[in-house]
Amino acid sequence: MSAALPDLLDYPIAAPPAPGAVIEIAPRVLWLRMPLPFALDHINLWLLSESDGVCTLVDCGFGDLATRTVWESHIATTLRSMPIRRIIATHFHPDHVGNAAWLSQRFAAPVAMTHAEYLTAHATPGEFGGYSMKATIDLFRRHGLPEAMEAALAKRGNAYRRGVPELPQSFDRMLAGDVQQAGDTTWQILGGHGHSPEHASLYSAERGVLIAGDMLLPRISTNVSVAPVDPDGNPLLRFLDSLSGFAALPRDTLVLPSHGLPFRGIALRVAQLRAHHEARLGELAAAVRAAAAPLSAAELVPVLFRRELDLQQLYFAMGETIAHLNFLWRASRLERRVAADGGLRFAPSVG
């Protein structure tokens, strides 16, 4: 969901590295960019180089041929004299963990993740414990998704497997508050929630650098969705609560996001994101109050997303709309009602 707010952030570098190239964005922090087969067409990855001639990789890219072709170029050039010693995955999404097992095997490098992200990465392709397209369709059906869209999502199937062809079978566990040594400096693990179960960002006070993953993006708000394993959950509240830890960092911190350009202005960006979500919540509540009858999440998607959506975008839009509605329901700003057909509808609060 776009955060349509004034862009007053400071971007120290105006353009990303070309495919197969790197930029040293901070001391011993190398910036790589990999392609993605979506409307959001790239991900930023980070190599933390050590004085002993090896490196730590933060995030791995989507596990497809296009990305692995770029990796082969880096292996022959960037990594020729600086092999990967360790891999850190900020979270389980395919663009972050898709090549973790492949690179881990290639370099005999262990993979570090938080526990919830590692387990979710394994549950999703196997469709264990409610991590399945069927469970997602069932959730969206209760929230009013039309039958034609249900059929399209069912035909799409488990897209996660296409971006994560294999996964590591063991991991080094990280926890929020842990300290990691990489790039000849110390990084503190900052926990994040809402976008994924137990997202890990890395902050170096010595370097004044935050590797933010997907928790802080400069031009868009990261997707925050309700998942079928926690259908009544409040991931937006968790996401907004997580932002407090980032806002407390020094104002001149260089933020290295997974998408978009590195920037400074962390407190401003947190304030923008908070204002963005509060505005969207207000628009949803107003739409429900103006309606003649209770509305479903599917009927309210156009309030948050004012453009034509492809199937993948609709998938994320449904999850995010439900997340905003659950926030309003949990805060007693809306009522959630069960219709005669078992569907969920939202109405003005009478309290």
Side-chain angles (χ1 to χ4, degrees):
M1 182 165 47
S2 297
L5 294 165
D7 192 352
L8 303 174
L9 305 177
D10 172 35
Y11 297 96
I13 295 183
V22 298
I23 293 174
E24 187 172 15
I25 188 69
R28 295 198 174 278
V29 181
L30 302 179
W31 176 16
L32 295 70
R33 179 165 280 199
M34 297 286 179
L36 289 177
F38 314 121
L40 183 60
D41 62 3
H42 70 275
I43 179 172
N44 301 319
L45 311 179
W46 316 98
L47 287 172
L48 311 178
S49 66
E50 313 287 353
S51 57
D52 60 359
V54 297
C55 70
T56 296
L57 170 65
V58 181
D59 287 334
C60 306
F62 198 77
D64 62 357
L65 179 60
T67 299
R68 292 189 178 182
T69 299
V70 180
W71 265 124
E72 290 292 355
S73 175
H74 279 294
I75 289 169
T77 56
T78 310
L79 301 176
R80 184 174 180 181
S81 59
M82 189 180 60
I84 297 172
R85 178 175 66 185
R86 181 176 51 166
I87 298 165
I88 295 175
T90 58
H91 61 296
F92 82 98
H93 291 159
D95 49 335
H96 297 262
V97 79
N99 293 299
W102 181 67
L103 289 168
S104 175
Q105 294 162 11
R106 186 83 172 250
F107 290 94
V111 177
M113 301 176 69
T114 62
H115 199 211
E117 300 295 335
Y118 178 80
L119 293 179
T120 305
H122 282 269
T124 302
E127 301 193 335
F128 304 125
Y131 287 93
S132 67
M133 182 53 67
K134 180 183 181 303
T136 300
I137 291 171
D138 288 345
L139 171 68
F140 288 176
R141 181 186 301 116
R142 290 202 76 197
H143 283 278
L145 188 70
E147 288 186 10
M149 292 296 98
E150 290 183 28
L153 286 174
K155 184 177 179 180
R156 177 175 182 256
N158 191 320
Y160 190 85
R161 297 190 189 117
R162 293 192 282 276
V164 189
E166 62 266 311
L167 281 160
Q169 296 301 301
S170 63
F171 75 118
D172 291 341
R173 185 177 182 182
M174 297 189 303
L175 291 166
D178 281 356
V179 171
Q180 299 279 330
Q181 298 295 323
D184 286 353
T185 192
T186 297
W187 301 84
Q188 180 184 2
I189 302 301
L190 301 182
H193 304 281
H195 176 64
S196 68
E198 194 182 1
H199 187 290
S201 300
L202 292 81
Y203 172 64
S204 169
E206 179 186 14
R207 300 280 165 81
V209 171
L210 171 71
I211 300 177
D214 280 350
M215 288 300 295
L216 283 178
L217 305 178
R219 301 302 296 271
I220 60 174
S221 172
T222 193
N223 179 260
V224 177
S225 288
V226 166
V229 296
D230 187 18
D232 296 336
N234 197 348
L236 181 56
L237 177 63
R238 296 192 188 103
F239 176 74
L240 295 173
D241 285 347
S242 296
L243 291 180
S244 299
F246 297 101
L249 297 178
R251 62 184 302 171
D252 61 346
T253 298
L254 178 62
V255 181
L256 306 183
S258 291
H259 310 284
L261 297 175
F263 67 93
R264 288 188 173 90
I266 191 167
L268 172 61
R269 187 58 185 147
V270 168
Q272 288 178 342
L273 289 169
R274 291 188 183 281
H276 165 74
H277 284 290
E278 184 53 44
R280 300 294 84 78
L281 289 165
E283 290 168 4
L284 276 178
V288 170
R289 288 195 298 269
L295 297 175
S296 69
E299 292 170 312
L300 288 161
V301 164
V303 175
L304 296 188
F305 298 87
R306 304 179 185 98
R307 63 186 188 276
E308 187 174 348
L309 303 174
D310 63 26
L311 188 61
Q312 186 203 29
Q313 291 166 340
L314 177 63
Y315 173 87
F316 288 118
M318 276 295 296
E320 188 147 359
T321 302
I322 297 167
H324 282 72
L325 290 167
N326 276 10
F327 182 101
L328 292 167
W329 166 53
R330 291 291 190 181
S332 299
R333 292 167 63 178
L334 291 179
E335 285 189 358
R336 194 179 79 173
R337 299 177 181 175
V338 181
D341 62 358
L344 298 175
R345 303 292 184 269
F346 293 86
S349 176
V350 296

